[in-house]
């Protein structure tokens, strides 16, 4: 049986901005990669000026679904599961109070569905979210809580007994945007005489401690794949915007890695890993 990786994300485009190069690397090597997206992204804004035209906002859920399908294909996902919940929006927004919003669905209802998927797909590795202290979007925080809960519940025969045979996920990781990475790229841009897109972020967060590095995955050959997946989210990503300010050659020369925090494990790996599956 091939190894399996399951990635749990909050909205369309999250799969392309968080760990996309890593998933592309594993998909290309024969690992079965499964994407679970919680919401349709209905509460998002149109962030690409070229797409900010009449009729787009009204069709945003439909368009974001198409973008998700295109991006997942570029990355190499073998299966895409849309849970179909409504985007919760930011705290105190009208979307956040909608009764069908992801954050307002009973937690165990969502957990049971994800447990069922985990028991069906039997992934050794799951990618979820960290605590999202810097970006407290309610849907991202719920995915963090869900990630933690499914690691335990999927293996427990007393939880959701009708959801399939128990399955013990071996490791749970979360993509993390480390200050370390931003500083390396910032310094490289300045050394090349280029404007850094990270100046404001480093002023705000430069003294924040990074979590312990659980894994650092070299994605040199997949940097452009991840960028193409991001570009597929035409309503959400400006092709001339922040995500593309650092040339790919600069990234490859100074920090061609995606960083992950190890959230939970059933073994005791020596960190940092250079392979999410190392030793399994």
């Amino acid at each position: 049986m091939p190894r399996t990786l399951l990635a749990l994300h909050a909205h369309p485009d999250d799969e392309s901005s968080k760990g996309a190069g890593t998933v592309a690397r594993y998909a290309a090597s024969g690992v079965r990669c499964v994407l679970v997206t919680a919401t349709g992204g209905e509460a998002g804004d149109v962030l690409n000026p070229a797409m900010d035209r009449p009729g787009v906002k009204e069709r945003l859920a439909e368009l974001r679904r198409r973008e998700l399908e295109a991006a997942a294909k570029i990355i190499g996902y073998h299966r895409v599961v849309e849970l179909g919940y409504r985007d919760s929006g930011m705290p105190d927004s009208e979307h956040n109070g909608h009764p069908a919003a992801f954050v307002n669905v009973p937690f165990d209802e969502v957990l049971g569905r994800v447990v069922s998927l985990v028991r069906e797909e039997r992934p050794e590795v799951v990618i979820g979210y960290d605590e999202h202290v810097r970006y407290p979007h309610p849907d991202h925080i719920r995915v963090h809580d869900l990630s933690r809960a499914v690691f335990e519940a999927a293996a427990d025969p007393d939880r959701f007994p009708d959801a399939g045979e128990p399955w013990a996920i071996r490791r749970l990781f979360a993509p993390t945007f480390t200050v370390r990475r931003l500083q390396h790229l910032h310094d490289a841009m300045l050394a090349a005489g280029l404007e850094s897109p990270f100046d404001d972020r480093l002023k705000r967060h430069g003294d924040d401690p990074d979590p312990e590095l659980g894994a650092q995955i070299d994605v040199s050959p997949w940097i452009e794949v991840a960028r193409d997946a991001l570009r597929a989210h035409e309503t959400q990503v400006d092709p001339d915007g922040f995500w593309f300010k650092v040339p790919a050659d600069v990234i490859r020369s100074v920090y061609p890695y995606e960083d992950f925090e190890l959230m939970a494990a059933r073994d005791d790996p020596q960190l940092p890993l250079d392979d999410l599956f190392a030793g399994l």
Side-chain angles (χ1 to χ4, degrees):
M1 293 292 292
R3 293 192 182 278
T4 299
L5 179 153
L6 185 145
L8 180 60
H9 287 285
H11 311 104
D13 78 47
D14 288 328
E15 84 295 327
S16 298
S17 61
K18 301 171 183 63
T22 296
V23 176
R25 167 181 163 164
Y26 284 118
S29 72
V31 174
R32 177 171 171 80
C33 296
V34 178
L35 170 61
V36 181
T37 301
T39 79
E42 299 89 343
D45 294 318
V46 179
L47 301 177
N48 179 2
M51 292 294 292
D52 191 6
R53 53 181 188 256
V56 170
K57 182 69 174 177
E58 292 76 13
R59 298 173 55 225
L60 194 56
E62 172 195 345
L63 294 173
R64 295 195 73 177
R65 184 178 300 111
R66 292 181 186 177
E67 292 167 356
L68 175 67
E69 292 170 355
K73 184 175 182 180
I74 291 168
I75 294 168
Y77 277 104
H78 296 84
R79 181 184 180 189
V80 177
V81 178
E82 297 178 70
L83 295 181
Y85 296 111
R86 196 178 193 281
D87 187 341
S88 305
M90 293 302 288
D92 302 321
S93 69
E94 60 176 329
H95 300 287
N96 200 235
H98 195 289
F102 182 41
V103 292
N104 295 324
V105 177
F107 187 79
D108 271 10
E109 175 187 320
V110 184
L111 178 58
R113 294 182 65 188
V114 180
V115 164
S116 180
L117 286 167
V118 165
R119 290 177 178 174
E120 176 186 352
E121 290 289 350
R122 302 167 75 84
E124 293 91 350
V125 168
V126 168
I127 295 176
Y129 286 179
D130 62 16
E131 294 179 344
H132 268 66
V133 173
R134 296 174 190 159
Y135 181 62
H137 192 297
D139 289 337
H140 288 239
I141 294 170
R142 172 156 268 208
V143 168
H144 165 74
D145 294 340
L146 196 58
S147 307
R148 289 285 200 184
V150 76
F151 185 84
E152 301 298 337
D156 187 345
D158 295 326
R159 301 293 307 278
F160 308 102
D162 297 328
E165 290 295 319
W167 175 254
I169 300 161
R170 300 293 299 279
R171 293 175 185 158
L172 171 65
F173 290 95
T176 179
F177 295 101
T178 57
V179 173
R180 176 192 312 106
R181 179 177 185 272
L182 297 188
Q183 191 67 61
H184 274 82
L185 295 175
H186 174 78
D187 292 344
M189 289 290 282
L190 296 184
L194 301 172
E195 183 180 356
S196 169
F198 304 118
D199 190 57
D200 288 342
R201 284 170 171 78
L202 287 169
K203 285 177 181 177
R204 294 196 305 270
H205 301 295
D207 294 328
D208 292 356
D210 282 331
E212 181 180 13
L213 189 60
Q216 189 173 68
I217 308 301
D218 188 339
V219 296
S220 301
W222 294 278
I223 290 170
E224 289 295 356
V225 172
R227 289 185 163 197
D228 286 345
L230 262 178
R231 291 185 186 100
H233 291 280
E234 294 179 315
T235 62
Q236 303 301 299
V237 177
D238 181 350
D240 298 318
F242 165 81
W243 292 103
F244 311 105
K245 292 295 186 183
V246 181
D249 287 345
V250 172
I251 298 174
R252 290 190 189 97
S253 67
V254 298
Y255 209 93
Y257 310 111
E258 290 180 343
D259 295 335
F260 293 83
E261 182 179 353
L262 180 63
M263 305 290 288
R266 289 192 160 84
D267 59 342
D268 187 23
Q270 186 170 349
L271 306 181
L273 299 168
D274 62 2
D275 175 3
L276 302 185
F277 293 88
L280 297 182

